[in-house]
Amino acid sequence: MTKKPLLLLLLFLQVGLVAQAQQEPVDLDAVHRIKQEGLQNSQVMQTAFYLTDVSGPRLSGSPGLMRASEWAKKQLTDWGLKNAQLEAWGDFGRGWEVEKSYIALTAPYYQQLIATPKAWTPGTDKEISGEAVLVQLDKEEDLQQYKGKLQGKIILTKIDEHAKTTFEADAKRYSEEELHDLAMSLEATRSQSRWTPERIAEYRARMALRNKAAEFFQQEGAAVILSSRGGTHGTHFTSNGAAYAPNAKAALPEMEMGLEDYNRIVRLLEAKQPVKLEVNTKTRFVDNDMKGYNVIAEIPGTDKKLKDEVVMLGGHIDSWHGSTGATDNAAGVAVMMEAVRILQAAGFKPRRTIRIALWSGEEQGLYGSRGYVKQHFGDPATMQLTKEHEKLSAYYNLDNGTGKIRGIYLQGNDAVRPIMEAWLAPFNDLGATTTTIRNTGGTDHLAFDAVGLPGFQFIQDEIDYDTRTHHTNQDSYDRLQADDLRQAATIVASMVYHTAMRDKKLPRKPLPKPREAS
Amino acid sequence: MTKKPLLLLLLFLQVGLVAQAQQEPVDLDAVHRIKQEGLQNSQVMQTAFYLTDVSGPRLSGSPGLMRASEWAKKQLTDWGLKNAQLEAWGDFGRGWEVEKSYIALTAPYYQQLIATPKAWTPGTDKEISGEAVLVQLDKEEDLQQYKGKLQGKIILTKIDEHAKTTFEADAKRYSEEELHDLAMSLEATRSQSRWTPERIAEYRARMALRNKAAEFFQQEGAAVILSSRGGTHGTHFTSNGAAYAPNAKAALPEMEMGLEDYNRIVRLLEAKQPVKLEVNTKTRFVDNDMKGYNVIAEIPGTDKKLKDEVVMLGGHIDSWHGSTGATDNAAGVAVMMEAVRILQAAGFKPRRTIRIALWSGEEQGLYGSRGYVKQHFGDPATMQLTKEHEKLSAYYNLDNGTGKIRGIYLQGNDAVRPIMEAWLAPFNDLGATTTTIRNTGGTDHLAFDAVGLPGFQFIQDEIDYDTRTHHTNQDSYDRLQADDLRQAATIVASMVYHTAMRDKKLPRKPLPKPREAS
């Protein structure tokens, strides 16, 4: 008791609001009930099982995504949420899925290789056999020497990356020191600083050369293009290899593989050892519905004055195709679904409406959330805002893997810091201790931030996101950390609940300028 | 200078030979020349490339092993070694290799799985499609409930192992503390203590049940048996699934896979989600020559009195079939070949004959080295010894992966400790510091030890042997640590050279009793 005035004083100094400050109230009875349901009766792994093992890969536009979306809609309805629906956010393009994927070395000896067709590329449609050719490709002129030589060939280009044996763990958690640095530093986060102008230019040049080369290989009648974006020990990264636009040009079959299998072929070819491969891939384009959909459902608000106001939570439900997208982002979806399940199961009657949104098209450019925000809240290009814009208190997002919540990115919004700190306090002993004024990029809260709405992504332990799971062929159910997901769902439930019960909406930053004007 | 008497005294105390002790001479000029060649002009990775990437999997009896053996024989001859030959050590059995390996989930959705046919099992010989069935198998009686239900089915049994996300590195090196413990402790090494009588009994019971079940599944007309011996992220362990004996009973096609793919199917079946798989495997039995061969070659001795005496070095050249056996044991073979290349290239004229032996049949029970020892030196069952027995000074083996040499196991031979310590001293700064009186098991030096000949295995850093490489589908060229192999080859060359130049043969332990008598 005696320490309270001092604590309050410290809090005031910390947030820089000496006047008018009032400690943010926390409903510890509600926290207790949420913890009981979230930590003792968790269903988050069951939800994750249906999103991953049962639904399969959930590439935007694919039948797998539709299965998962329909399942989520039904499950949310079964839990008592209202207005569950698949809401179109706009035009996406062609759906696509893999129906056969096989590649093997047949000379100098037989060995099966681990590879995945690149998204939206065609298959070979039958088993073909071809010689591997190592193409020198530093600049466009390099291609000319291969004129007339690539008919039926399987193409590789040399890469600079090699499998490394590391003496560091694949998986890690934030240390206290790292969290401190995250909270203190003014530097941009890594995910933003990654894309320097130089790197963007270099990337564009590389893509342009790649496209020129792909066109050349196609003209020359090559059979398949192989590539590697890294990954070791049977893990490899996956991506798209062709456009999903309805009018996209036809492309060659392409496959991606890990560094060992890829570099083995390169080494053999460099040593003038003939290499033959057999390939059998089949992919299916799905053109019956080019629209993209988000899954939406609500716990309706109960306060006469506030029920038109909304608190949103969500994460993207689409994934890449090489596995079942467990940490990217079935984890986030399962946690957000579990958070609303907890609130339903604990019988809360929130004042504001709580709305969950499971986005699609995230991997192609946050399309689902951006489309939704544009339809419901405003256009970041013009900053023409809708009436709903005034009604949204906050959006909470989860999309940084399976790791537990260690805190929250404040997205440059100083005024929410004391609120978030107060709401996180009952979860400090579960490891959620940190607020940082930083922005973080790369996911759907940005769509809200872009029109001046409070959109937040949580700080999460990385676990093995960068090494094993993010966009890989190994992002499957077993990568999920059950304890972490339970923790995250419990915290999100409480944050959302407090946001829904708060007298006022969360404070906002000044509105951004129209993007067109900048 | 002033410290020398004290050092000698310490040495005497350490080895317990106060009387007659004389410091083992070390030819530091030779060490220098060996280091120059081994560390500056290393060809060890080139050798490893031919053993792995070019030769492919080297299962005992397989065409891949024959390719690698013929290549090694030619390469050793090209380096100037004499009497290079493939020497039959006895009857092995049938050769076998994979000609097609493909398995995929087709319901509830399509996804390619990573799996390898178990050695010596037949293939499906065409693409087949079948429902997966989860068989409860704790005891033989469990099978009866499946009578009449398995025709054309793909069988799985539940396993207790699950993919774990660890926060430890896959790869590690010995710490100074661990090396100290290894040198000091009287405990048996881990590889020996692993097989307690309880564990052997448990293993035998499990194998018996497995065999009963396999017979039942075959009678019932099942199509394929799937299993997992562990491994994660696309890595899985491989083994044999049927006997290689010429008269072995026909078996069902079997495949092994990693924990994630396997447990995904198990989870789906437990949740009553129908699972369909398509499988296409083809394997080839090679029956034209049932004999097993070791590769042998020599640097003839030059000392009139000692040239009939022999120093041997070697490692097994056979591997499992899931990859190219890089760390098990192309690494050991490449190092031993590089050691003799170093001695040849540096122009040494050893007094004794140096003989390299690349064993086959190691993975099935040290057959190649045991057969060789029985033919050349004596029979451990009767302890009937040959004349050659008297002529062998020592055998050095390398077969504990790609890790550099940290010292040597003395195999309980106290008298060689001061010799080994003296010979290792010029390599202490390369990390080879430790002698341990312990035995280590599991590889070909045991064949020599069994008839009372000094046979030694080096202490090697584990690197990622237990986690990623040993008997896995990922034991390929990129797992090799080039610096470690250079170091190992340099040290082995020096140890072998000093053994060949020493006035006397290495001291021996008392002869063991005939095995038949015990």
Side-chain angles (χ1 to χ4, degrees):
Chain A
M1 284 294 281
T2 53
K3 284 187 179 170
K4 223 173 185 179
L6 181 61
L7 270 175
L8 275 174
L9 180 64
L10 282 171
L11 186 66
F12 292 171
L13 290 172
Q14 192 181 357
V15 300
L17 290 172
V18 177
Q20 294 165 326
Q22 190 181 332
Q23 194 160 21
E24 182 69 24
V26 183
D27 181 346
L28 290 177
D29 177 60
V31 167
H32 181 77
R33 288 159 64 199
I34 287 169
K35 281 188 179 178
Q36 281 296 111
E37 184 62 30
L39 300 178
Q40 307 299 328
N41 304 330
S42 180
Q43 292 185 27
V44 70
M45 290 302 286
Q46 178 77 353
T47 300
F49 167 69
Y50 278 93
L51 291 166
T52 57
D53 285 348
V54 177
S55 301
R58 301 179 308 283
L59 190 70
S60 287
S62 71
L65 175 61
M66 189 49 80
R67 271 194 304 275
S69 299
E70 291 286 2
W71 175 84
K73 175 185 150 188
K74 180 173 184 309
Q75 182 61 77
L76 290 164
T77 305
D78 288 351
W79 286 334
L81 276 79
K82 305 298 176 196
N83 311 321
Q85 58 179 304
L86 269 59
E87 185 181 310
W89 52 257
D91 289 324
F92 173 71
R94 308 177 81 185
W96 178 91
E97 65 179 1
V98 178
E99 293 193 329
K100 176 86 75 178
S101 173
Y102 167 73
I103 180 168
L105 211 60
T106 55
Y109 47 84
Y110 182 89
Q111 189 139 56
Q112 192 199 336
L113 305 177
I114 300 170
T116 304
K118 290 183 84 164
W120 289 287
T121 58
T124 60
D125 288 330
K126 60 177 185 204
E127 185 166 301
I128 61 144
S129 178
E131 285 168 25
V133 174
L134 184 62
V135 166
Q136 184 71 30
L137 185 58
D138 297 323
K139 52 192 186 307
E140 199 182 329
E141 301 81 70
D142 290 338
L143 292 170
Q144 289 315 307
Q145 60 186 301
Y146 300 99
K147 218 163 165 61
K149 297 179 185 168
L150 300 181
Q151 181 71 38
K153 298 291 193 283
I154 295 167
I155 310 287
L156 296 89
T157 50
K158 199 173 171 180
I159 55 173
D160 280 337
E161 214 175 334
H162 290 271
K164 283 185 207 77
T165 296
T166 70
F167 295 83
E168 277 176 37
D170 286 339
K172 59 182 178 184
R173 296 190 179 281
Y174 277 117
S175 66
E176 289 306 316
E177 192 183 349
E178 286 167 332
L179 285 173
H180 178 83
D181 288 351
L182 189 60
M184 290 299 134
S185 169
L186 285 171
E187 285 170 43
T189 62
R190 188 204 49 174
S191 57
Q192 288 173 312
S193 60
R194 258 184 194 171
W195 290 99
T196 58
E198 293 74 20
R199 210 177 143 197
I200 291 170
E202 189 264 336
Y203 174 80
R204 284 189 180 145
R206 192 150 37 88
M207 285 299 108
L209 180 59
R210 184 199 173 287
N211 290 341
K212 281 280 179 199
E215 210 169 292
F216 176 81
F217 299 148
Q218 198 168 12
Q219 283 163 5
E220 294 290 315
V224 178
I225 301 173
L226 301 183
S227 58
S228 177
R229 295 177 62 239
T232 64
H233 306 115
T235 304
H236 65 260
F237 291 84
T238 57
S239 63
N240 66 319
Y244 42 84
N247 57 354
K249 281 191 296 185
L252 283 181
E254 293 198 38
M255 295 187 91
E256 287 180 299
M257 53 213 303
L259 292 170
E260 298 93 341
D261 282 352
Y262 193 84
N263 284 329
R264 181 189 330 191
I265 302 171
V266 171
R267 281 191 302 270
L268 286 167
L269 294 173
E270 288 188 320
K272 312 289 180 212
Q273 298 277 337
V275 174
K276 281 186 81 171
L277 296 158
E278 60 185 22
V279 182
N280 191 354
T281 57
K282 198 173 166 193
T283 65
R284 186 168 76 98
F285 287 89
V286 185
D287 290 344
N288 60 328
D289 184 354
M290 300 280 185
K291 283 198 170 56
Y293 297 90
N294 301 316
V295 183
I296 308 288
E298 293 180 338
I299 302 175
T302 56
D303 183 305
K304 233 185 266 180
K305 285 185 191 158
L306 297 181
K307 67 182 179 184
D308 290 343
E309 291 187 1
V310 178
V311 184
M312 288 188 70
L313 71 162
H316 73 91
I317 188 170
D318 66 304
S319 76
W320 284 104
H321 59 296
S323 185
T324 54
T327 73
D328 189 17
N329 182 32
V333 170
V335 164
M336 292 325 213
M337 287 180 68
E338 173 71 1
V340 293
R341 189 200 66 77
I342 291 168
L343 296 176
Q344 282 292 104
F348 289 112
K349 302 288 171 212
R351 298 172 73 188
R352 289 183 184 79
T353 292
I354 294 170
R355 184 185 300 159
I356 185 169
L358 310 177
W359 316 112
S360 70
E362 193 272 355
E363 296 294 0
Q364 288 71 38
L366 319 185
Y367 291 147
S369 56
R370 283 181 171 155
Y372 184 90
V373 165
K374 198 169 166 186
Q375 285 175 10
H376 287 265
F377 302 117
D379 184 343
T382 60
M383 281 306 287
Q384 294 251 331
L385 305 177
T386 69
K387 281 183 186 164
E388 286 182 72
H389 188 276
E390 192 44 48
K391 300 288 186 190
L392 186 77
S393 178
Y395 169 69
Y396 296 97
N397 192 70
L398 206 70
D399 181 25
N400 282 187
T402 188
K404 68 180 173 187
I405 289 177
R406 305 303 302 271
I408 194 162
Y409 293 97
L410 301 175
Q411 285 302 118
N413 186 342
D414 286 290
V416 295
R417 190 199 299 267
I419 302 166
M420 295 299 176
E421 284 182 343
W423 290 350
L424 283 177
F427 302 96
N428 287 173
D429 64 350
L430 289 174
T433 54
T434 303
T435 58
T436 171
I437 196 67
R438 294 188 195 193
N439 306 314
T440 187
T443 188
D444 295 296
H445 68 292
L446 293 180
F448 293 81
D449 196 62
V451 294
L453 290 170
F456 305 103
Q457 160 70 33
F458 292 93
I459 301 168
Q460 294 177 258
D461 276 334
E462 279 204 8
I463 316 293
D464 48 2
Y465 201 59
D466 282 351
T467 51
R468 292 288 169 198
T469 72
H470 182 227
H471 299 187
T472 76
N473 68 328
Q474 293 297 323
D475 191 12
S476 60
Y477 178 89
D478 293 87
R479 299 283 90 74
L480 298 174
Q481 304 296 305
D483 286 348
D484 288 55
L485 299 184
R486 277 195 305 153
Q487 183 257 27
T490 304
I491 293 175
V492 171
S494 182
M495 302 290 276
V496 166
Y497 178 74
H498 282 88
T499 312
M501 298 304 283
R502 195 172 190 266
D503 286 338
K504 293 190 177 174
K505 294 196 303 287
L506 287 194
R508 297 179 177 188
K509 294 185 287 188
L511 284 180
K513 294 205 178 92
R515 219 185 269 158
E516 284 172 355
S518 67
Chain B
M1 287 292 282
T2 52
K3 283 187 179 168
K4 220 173 186 178
L6 181 61
L7 270 176
L8 275 174
L9 180 64
L10 282 172
L11 186 64
F12 293 170
L13 291 172
Q14 193 180 355
V15 299
L17 291 173
V18 178
Q20 293 164 328
Q22 189 181 331
Q23 194 158 22
E24 183 68 23
V26 183
D27 181 346
L28 291 177
D29 178 59
V31 166
H32 181 77
R33 288 159 65 198
I34 288 169
K35 281 189 178 177
Q36 281 295 111
E37 184 62 30
L39 301 178
Q40 308 298 328
N41 304 329
S42 178
Q43 292 184 27
V44 71
M45 289 304 284
Q46 178 76 354
T47 300
F49 167 68
Y50 278 92
L51 291 166
T52 56
D53 285 348
V54 177
S55 301
R58 301 179 308 284
L59 190 70
S60 287
S62 72
L65 176 60
M66 189 49 80
R67 272 195 303 276
S69 299
E70 291 287 3
W71 175 83
K73 175 185 149 187
K74 181 174 182 311
Q75 182 62 78
L76 291 164
T77 304
D78 289 351
W79 286 335
L81 276 80
K82 306 299 176 194
N83 311 322
Q85 59 178 304
L86 269 58
E87 185 180 313
W89 52 257
D91 289 325
F92 172 71
R94 309 178 81 184
W96 179 92
E97 65 180 1
V98 178
E99 293 193 329
K100 177 86 76 179
S101 173
Y102 167 74
I103 180 168
L105 210 62
T106 55
Y109 46 85
Y110 182 88
Q111 190 139 55
Q112 192 199 337
L113 306 177
I114 299 171
T116 304
K118 289 183 85 164
W120 289 287
T121 59
T124 60
D125 288 330
K126 61 178 186 202
E127 185 166 301
I128 61 146
S129 179
E131 284 168 25
V133 174
L134 183 63
V135 167
Q136 184 72 31
L137 185 58
D138 297 323
K139 52 191 186 308
E140 199 181 328
E141 301 81 70
D142 290 338
L143 292 170
Q144 288 315 307
Q145 61 188 299
Y146 301 100
K147 217 161 168 60
K149 296 179 185 168
L150 300 181
Q151 180 71 39
K153 297 292 194 281
I154 296 167
I155 309 287
L156 296 88
T157 51
K158 198 171 173 183
I159 54 173
D160 280 338
E161 215 176 333
H162 291 272
K164 284 184 207 79
T165 296
T166 70
F167 296 83
E168 277 176 37
D170 285 340
K172 60 181 176 181
R173 295 190 179 280
Y174 277 118
S175 67
E176 290 305 317
E177 192 184 348
E178 286 167 331
L179 286 173
H180 178 82
D181 288 351
L182 190 59
M184 289 299 132
S185 170
L186 285 172
E187 284 171 43
T189 61
R190 186 207 51 175
S191 57
Q192 289 174 309
S193 59
R194 257 183 192 171
W195 289 99
T196 57
E198 292 74 20
R199 211 177 142 196
I200 292 171
E202 190 264 335
Y203 174 80
R204 284 190 179 145
R206 190 150 37 89
M207 285 299 109
L209 181 58
R210 183 200 174 285
N211 291 341
K212 281 279 179 201
E215 210 169 293
F216 177 81
F217 299 148
Q218 199 168 9
Q219 284 162 4
E220 293 292 314
V224 179
I225 301 173
L226 302 182
S227 58
S228 177
R229 295 177 62 239
T232 63
H233 307 114
T235 304
H236 65 260
F237 291 84
T238 58
S239 63
N240 67 320
Y244 43 83
N247 56 354
K249 281 191 296 184
L252 283 180
E254 294 198 38
M255 296 187 89
E256 287 180 299
M257 54 211 306
L259 292 170
E260 297 93 341
D261 282 352
Y262 194 84
N263 284 328
R264 183 192 324 193
I265 303 171
V266 171
R267 281 190 303 268
L268 285 168
L269 293 173
E270 288 188 319
K272 312 288 179 212
Q273 298 278 335
V275 174
K276 280 186 83 171
L277 296 159
E278 61 186 19
V279 182
N280 191 353
T281 57
K282 197 173 165 193
T283 66
R284 186 168 77 97
F285 288 88
V286 186
D287 290 344
N288 59 327
D289 184 354
M290 300 280 185
K291 284 199 169 51
Y293 297 90
N294 301 316
V295 184
I296 308 286
E298 293 180 339
I299 303 175
T302 56
D303 182 306
K304 233 184 267 179
K305 286 184 192 160
L306 298 180
K307 69 183 181 184
D308 289 344
E309 292 186 2
V310 178
V311 183
M312 289 189 70
L313 71 164
H316 72 91
I317 188 169
D318 66 301
S319 77
W320 284 103
H321 59 295
S323 185
T324 55
T327 73
D328 189 18
N329 181 32
V333 170
V335 163
M336 291 327 211
M337 287 181 68
E338 173 71 359
V340 294
R341 189 200 68 75
I342 291 168
L343 295 177
Q344 282 291 106
F348 288 112
K349 302 289 171 211
R351 298 172 74 187
R352 288 183 184 80
T353 292
I354 293 170
R355 186 184 299 159
I356 186 170
L358 310 176
W359 317 112
S360 71
E362 194 271 355
E363 296 293 2
Q364 288 71 37
L366 318 185
Y367 291 148
S369 55
R370 284 182 171 153
Y372 185 90
V373 164
K374 197 169 165 185
Q375 284 174 12
H376 286 266
F377 302 118
D379 184 343
T382 61
M383 279 306 286
Q384 294 251 328
L385 306 177
T386 69
K387 282 183 186 165
E388 285 181 72
H389 187 277
E390 192 45 45
K391 299 290 185 187
L392 185 78
S393 178
Y395 170 69
Y396 295 98
N397 192 72
L398 205 71
D399 180 26
N400 282 185
T402 189
K404 69 180 172 190
I405 288 177
R406 304 305 301 272
I408 193 162
Y409 294 96
L410 301 175
Q411 287 299 121
N413 185 342
D414 286 291
V416 295
R417 190 200 298 268
I419 302 167
M420 295 298 177
E421 285 182 342
W423 290 350
L424 283 177
F427 302 97
N428 285 174
D429 64 349
L430 289 173
T433 54
T434 304
T435 58
T436 172
I437 197 66
R438 293 190 195 191
N439 306 314
T440 187
T443 188
D444 296 295
H445 69 292
L446 293 179
F448 293 80
D449 196 61
V451 294
L453 291 170
F456 304 103
Q457 161 71 31
F458 292 94
I459 301 167
Q460 295 177 256
D461 275 336
E462 279 203 8
I463 316 292
D464 48 3
Y465 202 59
D466 281 352
T467 51
R468 291 288 170 199
T469 73
H470 184 229
H471 299 186
T472 75
N473 68 329
Q474 292 297 323
D475 191 10
S476 60
Y477 178 89
D478 293 88
R479 298 282 91 74
L480 297 174
Q481 304 295 306
D483 286 349
D484 289 55
L485 299 186
R486 277 195 305 152
Q487 184 256 27
T490 305
I491 293 175
V492 170
S494 182
M495 302 290 275
V496 166
Y497 178 73
H498 281 88
T499 311
M501 298 304 283
R502 196 171 190 268
D503 285 340
K504 293 188 178 174
K505 296 196 301 290
L506 288 193
R508 297 178 176 188
K509 295 184 287 188
L511 285 180
K513 293 205 181 94
R515 219 184 269 157
E516 284 173 353
S518 68

